[in-house]
Amino acid sequence: MEVLKVSAQSNPKSVAGALAAVLRERGTAEVQAVGAGAVNQAIKAIAISRGFVAPNGIDLICIPAFAEITIDGEERTAIRFIVEPR
Amino acid sequence: MEVLKVSAQSNPKSVAGALAAVLRERGTAEVQAVGAGAVNQAIKAIAISRGFVAPNGIDLICIPAFAEITIDGEERTAIRFIVEPR
C-alpha cells in the first residue's frame, strides 16, 4: 500500500487532496508521521479529507497505530494512520 | 457526551485507561486536544486504548474533526476525536 509521509511542514490541505485521490482510487490509504508537529498536520489533513470524500458517500475513519521505522540508521517510532471508509 | 481533555503533558497510557473505561461504559467517547503536543498525546492514547478494548471484541476507530472553543476568552481551534467501535 502507498504510504503518504507527512512532516511538520506539510500543508494539511495539500495532504488532504492527495489522500482523497488515493482513497477514491484504491479505497484505502496509509499516512505516516514522525513527531508531534507531523502527527498534528496528519490529523488536520485527515479531518479536511473527510470533507473532500463525503460528497462521494464516503464516511472516512482512521485507525492510529505505532510503527517502528528507521531514519538515517536510527530507530524512530512513527504513527501510522490507516484511513478508510467506515 | 463526556469529553476527555488531553494536554501536551498528559500521559498517553493514563488517558488510554480513562478512554477504555468510558468506552466500555458508554460505547463511545470524545477526546479534545489543543495544539500539536496535545494532539500527539491524544493519538498515542487512542492507539494504546485500541489494545485495551480489543480483548472485549471492540475494533476502535477515530474520527478527527475541528472544533472552535474558547479558552480564557480567546478563540482557539481544537481537534476533537470521536472514538467508537467500528
Side-chain angles (χ1 to χ4, degrees):
Chain A
M1 196 189 301
E2 196 180 349
V3 177
L4 292 172
K5 288 178 185 168
V6 176
S7 82
Q9 283 73 44
S10 297
N11 179 303
K13 207 168 172 179
S14 305
V15 175
L19 189 54
V22 173
L23 284 161
R24 286 196 194 100
E25 198 182 311
R26 308 194 184 182
T28 177
E30 261 189 61
V31 177
Q32 182 179 290
V34 179
V39 166
N40 193 36
Q41 299 307 77
I43 281 297
K44 285 185 206 162
I46 295 167
I48 295 167
S49 69
R50 278 182 56 79
F52 289 172
V53 300
N56 302 102
I58 300 174
D59 182 12
L60 215 61
I61 60 106
C62 81
I63 296 170
F66 296 101
E68 298 303 320
I69 61 165
T70 307
I71 299 176
D72 300 332
E74 267 187 69
E75 283 274 312
R76 298 288 302 271
T77 300
I79 301 284
R80 277 218 179 163
F81 299 94
I82 298 160
V83 183
E84 49 191 32
R86 186 154 207 166
Chain B
M1 197 190 298
E2 197 180 349
V3 177
L4 291 171
K5 289 177 185 167
V6 176
S7 82
Q9 283 74 44
S10 297
N11 178 303
K13 205 165 173 184
S14 304
V15 176
L19 190 53
V22 173
L23 284 161
R24 286 197 194 100
E25 197 181 313
R26 309 193 185 183
T28 178
E30 262 188 61
V31 177
Q32 180 178 293
V34 179
V39 166
N40 193 37
Q41 299 306 77
I43 282 297
K44 286 187 207 162
I46 295 167
I48 294 167
S49 68
R50 278 181 56 77
F52 289 172
V53 300
N56 302 103
I58 300 175
D59 181 13
L60 216 59
I61 60 105
C62 81
I63 297 170
F66 297 102
E68 298 303 322
I69 60 164
T70 307
I71 299 178
D72 299 332
E74 269 187 67
E75 282 277 310
R76 298 288 302 272
T77 300
I79 302 284
R80 275 216 182 165
F81 299 94
I82 298 161
V83 183
E84 48 191 33
R86 186 154 206 164

